[in-house]
Amino acid sequence: MMTPGPVLIPEKVRITYGAPAIHHRTPLFEKDLRFVLDSLPKIFQTQQPAYIHTSTGTGGMESALVNTLSPGDTVLVLEIGKFGQRWTEIAQALGLSPIVLASEWGHPANLEEVQKALDQNPNIQAVLCQACETSTGVLNPIQELGKIVSQTNAILIVDAIAALGATDLPMDEWNLDIIIGGSQKALMLPTGLSVLSFSQKARDRFSKSQLPKFYWSIEREHKANLKNQTFCSSPVSLIWALKASLEIILEMGLPSYIKRHEIIGKAIRSYGNSLGLHVLAQTPSPTATAFLLPDSISGDRLQSIMAEKYGITIAGGQDHLKGKIIRMGHMGDLKKEDIHSVFYKLSQALNELGHTCHFEKQESLLEGLPELP
Ligand SMILES: *Cc1c(COP(=O)(O)O)cnc(C)c1O
């Protein structure tokens, strides 16, 4: 599985996930939850608490909005792909007023336009963006966005579902107000958890925010967390799995874990280029790559040959890029040999479809790759 979520789960995490679950309101589990709640802020690189929702990543996106905004609030959406569009859809569903700044797919957000939109609309309450836009493999200039938005009253909300842990996003240092992560991406877990953290500027909105909320209420969650509990029933197996994956990441050290994704990302782009494929993203993400296919090749057929003949799941394009690109994730428990072998098989499949290319194993691409302990 080389998809940008879900990803291959390390064995240690799988074993923990499969252990017989215990009741969540017990001292034994509460101790493990405390460990997770204490460790998570290290991944966000923040002094603020981090929270866990039993939901997919999108639930975390909705939670970020309902905890900090009020009906009718104007928000600026930096729509650089499919997941940017999701921000607009959630904002509309919640009765917010989104202003959409769209970029051509493959491009990052345009900082000058962001600055201009903020200058022209001083009532913007929040700027919504993706760190890595998984539909195109683009990495946004998050540090620069943090600088721009911190000069205003707006908060910067970063969907880092395919980035948190795997890319450098120092929340406090870069003035990022809300970061959202998801379990089945760089955290190497099964699907089912979203995690998020709020800056002081964002926390000051909790008591003023008037969007309706019950399950998503961070204030309720915060109160429960102070007692080493979650507000509703804890997903015990997933929290245990999160504990195991945090142990892996912290044992490696966050900088090594980030470096690992950079190296794999570079290797994948370079291997793709060597087979005559071009990277779609102008500013490529270290967690996912989209390759443009030659016109003569159907992405759907390539995907099905890879799956049926070679047993490898890769992702296709969405919307107008359907059939025109393939996407690969670089997260999870990938071994060096897996990566070499995927490109060997991809070269075979491309040749079968009439795109002549030659695979040459390049060990040097993955030299010095920090391995998962
Ligand atoms: C995967 C992903 C999501 C959606 O996550 P779900 O867990 O499917 O809700 C949102 N944003 C980005 C950038 C993603 O990669």
Side-chain angles (χ1 to χ4, degrees):
M1 198 158 60
M2 281 278 280
T3 45
V7 303
L8 293 174
I9 300 171
E11 190 179 9
K12 179 181 168 190
V13 176
R14 266 190 288 129
I15 290 171
T16 317
Y17 184 65
I22 58 172
H23 196 279
H24 54 284
R25 312 255 187 240
T26 54
L28 198 57
F29 179 70
E30 288 172 6
K31 186 167 130 283
D32 291 337
L33 178 64
R34 189 72 259 155
F35 173 87
V36 168
L37 291 170
D38 288 344
S39 305
L40 264 181
K42 296 178 192 160
I43 307 293
F44 287 87
Q45 304 186 55
T46 183
Q47 298 297 318
Q48 301 293 342
Y51 302 97
I52 304 167
H53 286 308
T54 308
S55 76
T56 72
T58 307
M61 295 167 77
E62 181 159 343
S63 168
L65 302 187
V66 298
N67 279 290
T68 54
L69 296 167
S70 297
D73 276 356
T74 304
V75 296
L76 180 67
V77 184
L78 312 185
E79 225 186 68
I80 69 164
K82 186 82 182 162
F83 289 108
Q85 291 173 350
R86 181 162 299 177
W87 270 136
T88 307
E89 287 166 3
I90 302 173
Q92 281 165 343
L94 295 175
L96 299 167
S97 308
I99 299 176
V100 175
L101 256 188
S103 304
E104 194 187 325
W105 285 33
H107 293 245
N110 180 317
L111 296 170
E112 278 167 31
E113 282 176 21
V114 174
Q115 183 71 63
K116 206 161 86 190
L118 285 165
D119 291 343
Q120 283 170 354
N121 303 279
N123 59 339
I124 289 173
Q125 297 296 320
V127 177
L128 319 182
C129 67
Q130 269 63 37
C132 296
E133 171 55 70
T134 318
S135 62
T136 57
V138 168
L139 177 69
N140 254 329
I142 298 298
Q143 184 174 15
E144 288 74 15
L145 287 169
K147 275 188 200 147
I148 294 174
V149 179
S150 65
Q151 307 297 315
T152 70
N153 287 327
I155 52 174
L156 177 61
I157 307 185
V158 184
D159 161 5
I161 293 168
L164 180 72
T167 65
D168 199 25
L169 286 174
M171 179 170 145
D172 292 357
E173 194 188 320
W174 289 3
N175 288 309
L176 315 176
D177 294 301
I178 308 180
I179 293 186
I180 304 133
S183 56
Q184 78 275 27
K185 310 271 170 107
L187 296 176
M188 307 186 290
L189 302 174
T191 306
L193 294 181
S194 62
V195 293
L196 60 178
S197 185
F198 299 78
S199 70
Q200 192 54 53
K201 187 177 173 187
R203 302 183 72 84
D204 290 343
R205 302 278 190 92
F206 290 166
S207 58
K208 296 175 207 139
S209 146
Q210 281 165 27
L211 280 173
K213 55 197 144 289
F214 181 80
Y215 185 68
W216 300 125
S217 165
I218 291 294
E219 288 190 310
R220 282 198 183 89
E221 206 55 54
H222 185 82
K223 266 190 216 148
N225 288 175
L226 291 177
K227 295 182 284 178
N228 304 329
Q229 297 189 345
T230 52
F231 168 51
C232 299
S233 302
S234 311
V236 170
S237 304
L238 276 168
I239 302 266
W240 275 347
L242 176 55
K243 178 168 178 276
S245 101
L246 289 171
E247 282 167 352
I248 291 175
I249 298 171
L250 296 173
E251 184 184 332
M252 280 180 84
L254 188 61
S256 281
Y257 193 63
I258 291 169
K259 185 90 199 153
R260 170 180 163 82
H261 293 86
E262 273 171 24
I263 293 176
I264 298 179
K266 253 191 217 151
I268 284 183
R269 294 193 295 275
S270 172
Y271 254 143
N273 289 338
S274 77
L275 302 183
L277 304 179
H278 297 288
V279 173
L280 172 69
Q282 287 215 321
T283 50
S285 159
T287 55
T289 297
F291 287 114
L292 280 164
L293 297 172
D295 285 343
S296 60
I297 294 204
S298 144
D300 295 347
R301 286 207 50 211
L302 183 58
Q303 248 181 295
S304 59
I305 294 178
M306 286 298 281
E308 283 153 29
K309 189 156 177 191
Y310 299 112
I312 293 172
T313 313
I314 54 175
Q318 294 155 302
D319 293 355
H320 62 281
L321 292 178
K322 191 166 164 38
K324 299 192 172 137
I325 62 169
I326 50 167
R327 295 181 302 136
M328 287 184 179
H330 326 161
M331 299 166 281
D333 189 18
L334 287 172
K335 308 273 192 281
K336 284 183 186 176
E337 275 316 308
D338 297 336
I339 298 167
H340 295 301
S341 132
V342 161
F343 279 91
Y344 168 68
K345 289 164 180 170
L346 185 65
S347 72
Q348 298 289 100
L350 284 165
N351 277 304
E352 279 171 49
L353 290 172
H355 172 76
T356 311
C357 59
H358 174 68
F359 171 83
E360 199 174 325
K361 188 171 179 184
Q362 296 172 55
E363 306 264 10
S364 63
L365 288 178
L366 293 167
E367 235 159 56
L369 179 73
E371 308 263 12
L372 302 181

